[in-house]
């Protein structure tokens, strides 16, 4: 972990849109500041920061400087006296275009089962991996094709539920903000007709088809080796047997939801593929109907890879019913939504374990005319109330995000981006741009306006994460990590040996180590990238 001196002026290290609020966060003593045009060396704005306040989560006293009056496109930095300066950043109409492209390109780097060629992967190329058939756990004679899809995280496991969450975020981003996805990433499939975001999602959807047991419609929970390989093992060198873990209701519900969603979105581009998605979703739904009381998933005794355990499948069933209703218009699915929505689970959460928010979005996006009017009004009101709560919490925070001290959990950056995603959706349904302004504050945090003055996205910003817990980045002997990966972020629970040794006693928002051994703060995963793509798409449309 680098021992560099933290800057006392933090900004979004990428930049700020021309319109709207532009704020830097200061931890030094001085209040006067200047905005300097980097290319010409001249001062374009002088200002004073506001009243200092102690920020509990970060453990520092902060004050903010507003330079929203600077509108000219260019590259700038903020200075205070001799030698005190922020990172440089741009102001432009669409400052996050390259960032969004990088966050999306990351999914290509996560691909499994194919060679990543130098033409598309550059220095991060590697040979095809995990091409052998997988063994169905408990049926040792049964072996099935399991190649393709995306590696889930810093390891090489592939998980049905988290994969479905990642696809859902990307498909929703495309559905709500299609103009943000005009540019090619590019990837090998880029062809100018089907947008690259849909081509990339198809990689994971094609793998998910292989996770459905065609005999029953149920979906295998995950596909992994029995235990994780060493940290420096490249994908193609990970040759241990792969196992399909048993079918779970949560995986089956997520599968039904994302396949019904895909059927709708791919229809204009490939109607045969859309039908395949809908048939698979329908089959999965039938399994759910026949197994109303399926137990939650736990790892089989021999398997020690990520469990993604989840004891409540009602939220996944709700999402599945809502997407199937939206795609087919069939009343049986509407009735299922009306029954499931009465059960106890979060209706607005967007996490891999709590997928209720996706069911609510599907129902609301379907429109009031096709909804039960009372339920539609209640869900919309609840969504906006949750967004208002996040705005209020952000006003209390020194770095203007919606996390309380207790929210700096394993994968806190997923919470940051999921909350930003919900805020953006609230803007979509209300027309109130203040929700998007708050969401943008969350993106500013991710990209460097935080107490550690670090960009939590590899390869972006002038001080990005350099040592993620990510096997290809450790094993490839390339100095820079694979770019575009969102790091997990501060975790006050100190859940790995490295942070226990190095971060004991730190404030919540400082419980982060840019070190490859810190899997609890510095791992990466597809479903931390996906909400970040959604949020950047809102500002790239």
């Amino acid at each position: 972990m680098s021992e560099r001196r933290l800057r006392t002026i933090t900004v979004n290290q990428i930049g700020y849109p021309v319109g709207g609020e532009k704020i830097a966060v200061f931890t030094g003593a001085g209040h006067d500041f200047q905005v300097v045009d980097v290319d010409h060396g001249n001062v374009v704005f002088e200002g004073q920061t506001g009243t200092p306040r102690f920020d509990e989560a970060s453990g520092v006293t902060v004050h903010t400087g507003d330079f929203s009056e600077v509108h000219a496109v260019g590259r700038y930095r903020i200075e205070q006296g001799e030698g005190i300066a922020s990172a440089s950043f741009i102001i432009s109409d669409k400052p996050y275009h390259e960032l969004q492209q990088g966050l999306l390109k990351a999914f290509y780097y996560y691909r499994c089962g194919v060679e990543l060629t130098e033409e598309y992967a550059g220095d991060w190329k590697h040979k095809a991996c995990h091409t052998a058939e997988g063994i169905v756990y408990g049926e040792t004679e049964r072996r099935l094709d399991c190649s393709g899809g995306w590696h889930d995280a810093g390891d090489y496991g592939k998980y049905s539920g988290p994969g479905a969450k990642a696809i859902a975020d990307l498909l929703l981003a495309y559905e709500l903000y299609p103009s943000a996805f005009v540019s090619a990433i590019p990837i090998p499939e880029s062809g100018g007709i089907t947008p690259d975001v849909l081509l990339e999602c198809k990689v994971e959807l094609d793998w998910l088809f292989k996770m459905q047991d065609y005999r029953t419609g149920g979906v295998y929970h995950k596909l992994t080796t029995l235990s994780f390989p060493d940290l420096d093992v490249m994908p193609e060198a990970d040759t241990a047997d792969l196992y399909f873990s048993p079918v779970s209701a949560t995986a089956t519900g997520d599968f039904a939801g994302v396949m019904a969603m895909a059927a709708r979105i791919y229809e204009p581009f490939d109607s045969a593929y859309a039908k395949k998605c809908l048939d698979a979703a329908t089959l999965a739904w039938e399994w759910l109907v026949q197994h109303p009381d399926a137990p939650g998933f736990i790892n089989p005794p021999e398997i020690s890879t990520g469990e993604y355990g989840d004891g409540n499948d009602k939220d996944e069933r709700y999402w599945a019913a809502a997407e199937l209703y939206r795609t087919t218009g069939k009343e049986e699915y509407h009735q299922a939504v009306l029954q499931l929505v009465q059960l106890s689970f979060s209706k607005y959460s967007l996490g891999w374990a709590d997928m209720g928010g996706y069911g609510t979005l599907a129902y609301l996006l379907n429109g009031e005319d096709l909804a039960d009017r009372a339920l539609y009004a209640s869900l919309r009101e609840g969504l906006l109330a949750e967004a208002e709560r996040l705005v209020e919490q952000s006003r209390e925070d020194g770095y203007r995000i919606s996390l309380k001290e207790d929210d700096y959990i394993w994968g806190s950056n997923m919470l940051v981006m999921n909350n930003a995603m919900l805020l953006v959706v609230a803007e979509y349904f209300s027309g109130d741009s203040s929700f998007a302004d708050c969401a943008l504050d969350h993106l500013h945090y991710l990209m460097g306006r935080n107490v550690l003055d670090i960009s939590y996205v590899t390869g972006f910003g002038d001080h990005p994460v350099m040592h993620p817990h990510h096997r290809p980045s450790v094993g490839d002997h390339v100095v820079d990590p694979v770019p575009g990966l969102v790091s997990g972020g501060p975790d006050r629970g100190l859940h790995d040996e490295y942070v226990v040794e190095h971060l004991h006693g730190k404030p919540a928002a400082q419980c982060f180590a840019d070190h490859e051994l810190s899997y609890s703060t510095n791992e990466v995963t597809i479903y931390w990238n996906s909400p970040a793509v959604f949020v950047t798409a809102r500002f790239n449309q």
Side-chain angles (χ1 to χ4, degrees):
M1 189 169 63
S2 62
E3 292 297 321
R4 73 182 189 103
R5 188 161 163 259
L6 296 181
R7 288 177 291 222
T8 57
I9 310 171
T10 57
V11 294
N12 182 324
Q13 294 171 16
I14 301 298
Y16 297 81
V18 169
E21 205 170 38
K22 302 175 190 72
I23 284 176
V25 177
F26 297 72
T27 52
H31 287 269
D32 295 330
F33 70 93
Q34 302 84 38
V35 180
V36 177
D37 183 322
V38 170
D39 295 326
H40 302 99
N42 56 308
V43 174
V44 300
F45 178 81
E46 294 183 349
Q48 279 206 328
T49 62
T51 307
R53 59 195 257 200
F54 183 71
D55 183 52
E56 291 284 348
S58 60
V60 294
T61 297
V62 299
H63 40 128
T64 57
D66 190 329
F67 56 102
S68 304
E69 290 178 36
V70 183
H71 295 294
V73 171
R75 178 167 288 280
Y76 302 91
R77 68 173 171 265
I78 296 173
E79 296 183 355
Q80 269 192 323
E82 201 60 42
I84 301 174
S86 71
S88 67
F89 55 88
I90 61 170
I91 292 176
S92 76
D93 288 329
K94 291 183 180 177
Y96 312 122
H97 173 74
E98 285 183 25
L99 174 62
Q100 183 191 320
Q101 294 291 90
L103 291 166
L104 197 48
K105 179 65 176 278
F107 290 90
Y108 169 78
Y109 291 117
Y110 277 118
R111 285 191 192 187
C112 180
V114 294
E115 180 182 5
L116 303 192
T117 64
E118 189 165 0
E119 180 182 0
Y120 293 99
D123 291 343
W124 302 283
K125 62 185 184 293
H126 65 74
K127 296 184 179 70
C129 59
H130 306 101
T131 54
E133 290 185 321
I135 301 162
V136 177
Y137 186 85
E139 300 179 59
T140 46
E141 300 305 308
R142 192 160 181 243
R143 292 170 184 256
L144 302 170
D145 175 20
C146 60
S147 61
W150 301 319
H151 298 140
D152 173 70
D155 60 273
Y156 301 129
K158 296 186 285 190
Y159 303 82
S160 300
K165 183 242 186 310
I167 298 169
D169 292 341
L170 298 180
L171 294 184
L172 277 167
Y174 170 73
E175 186 176 22
L176 269 55
Y177 310 111
S179 63
F181 294 95
V182 172
S183 302
I185 301 175
I187 52 178
E189 297 81 1
S190 298
I193 299 169
T194 304
D196 279 6
V197 63
L198 301 189
L199 294 170
E200 191 57 62
C201 286
K202 188 175 180 292
V203 170
E204 183 79 342
L205 288 164
D206 287 347
W207 170 75
L208 275 176
F209 284 127
K210 300 174 182 181
M211 295 298 286
Q212 185 172 42
D213 182 352
Y214 63 86
R215 302 171 302 183
T216 66
V219 176
Y220 298 113
H221 191 79
K222 63 178 193 171
L223 180 91
T224 68
T225 49
L226 292 179
S227 56
F228 290 126
D230 289 340
L231 190 53
D232 61 352
V233 172
M234 287 297 285
E236 63 268 34
D238 180 33
T239 55
D241 285 338
L242 289 161
Y243 286 84
F244 289 88
S245 283
V247 164
S248 75
T250 51
T252 306
D254 284 334
F255 177 97
V258 82
M259 285 295 175
M261 187 183 198
R264 196 170 61 244
I265 288 173
Y266 286 83
E267 174 65 36
F269 302 99
D270 186 343
S271 58
Y273 190 75
K275 183 180 186 304
K276 183 182 179 184
C277 291
L278 185 56
D279 288 347
T282 305
L283 192 62
W285 178 258
E286 288 168 3
W287 186 95
L288 291 169
V289 170
Q290 290 161 14
H291 298 81
D293 301 309
F297 177 84
I298 54 171
N299 266 339
E302 300 94 321
I303 298 180
S304 61
T305 50
E307 184 171 75
Y308 287 106
D310 181 359
N312 184 1
D313 61 19
K314 304 300 183 283
D315 48 317
E316 288 83 6
R317 291 171 184 263
Y318 170 63
W319 179 36
E323 293 289 2
L324 279 160
Y325 175 52
R326 188 174 176 205
T327 297
T328 68
K330 290 184 178 176
E331 187 58 29
E332 65 180 289
Y333 299 124
H334 195 194
Q335 289 304 314
V337 170
L338 296 177
Q339 289 173 347
L340 287 160
V341 76
Q342 297 175 47
L343 304 176
S344 178
F345 59 87
S346 168
K347 308 303 185 292
Y348 307 104
S349 178
L350 301 169
W352 63 262
D354 301 296
M355 297 289 283
Y358 295 95
T360 294
L361 291 184
Y363 196 72
L364 292 176
L365 287 166
N366 201 28
E368 193 173 2
D369 289 346
L370 297 171
D372 175 274
R373 293 296 173 96
L375 177 58
Y376 182 93
S378 167
L379 289 175
R380 183 181 180 278
E381 187 181 324
L383 175 76
L384 298 182
E386 177 63 9
E388 285 285 4
R389 186 188 71 78
L390 295 176
V391 170
E392 286 298 319
Q393 181 55 37
S394 301
R395 288 182 184 138
E396 299 293 313
D397 183 74
Y399 287 90
R400 301 167 68 90
I401 63 165
S402 56
L403 268 56
K404 298 180 179 177
E405 274 186 280
D406 290 350
D407 295 327
Y408 287 89
I409 57 170
W410 192 328
S412 63
N413 281 340
M414 182 184 78
L415 272 187
V416 172
M417 286 293 102
N418 281 353
N419 288 356
M421 186 173 163
L422 188 131
L423 286 159
V424 165
V425 169
E427 180 207 31
Y428 184 88
F429 285 112
S430 68
D432 184 345
S433 62
S434 67
F435 289 127
D437 295 340
C438 187
L440 188 53
D441 279 329
H442 289 65
L443 187 61
H444 294 332
Y445 167 91
L446 190 76
M447 302 313 300
R449 201 177 73 185
N450 53 63
V451 69
L452 298 178
D453 180 35
I454 191 169
S455 161
Y456 285 114
V457 181
T458 58
F460 287 86
D462 84 331
H463 181 238
V465 164
M466 286 295 292
H467 308 286
H469 180 89
H470 176 242
R471 280 164 177 77
S473 293
V474 175
D476 63 8
H477 305 298
V478 178
V479 173
D480 288 330
V482 171
L485 308 178
V486 175
S487 170
D491 170 23
R492 70 197 291 266
L494 302 182
H495 285 107
D496 65 64
E497 291 176 10
Y498 185 87
V499 294
V500 166
E501 184 180 342
H502 292 88
L503 299 180
H504 187 71
K506 291 276 190 186
Q510 294 192 42
C511 290
F512 173 81
D514 184 13
H515 195 286
E516 65 198 32
L517 293 180
S518 182
Y519 54 83
S520 70
T521 75
N522 204 28
E523 192 167 6
V524 294
T525 160
I526 53 175
Y527 55 85
W528 297 341
N529 262 68
S530 56
V533 170
F534 183 96
V535 174
T536 51
R538 155 62 182 82
F539 299 101
N540 283 328
Q541 58 177 329

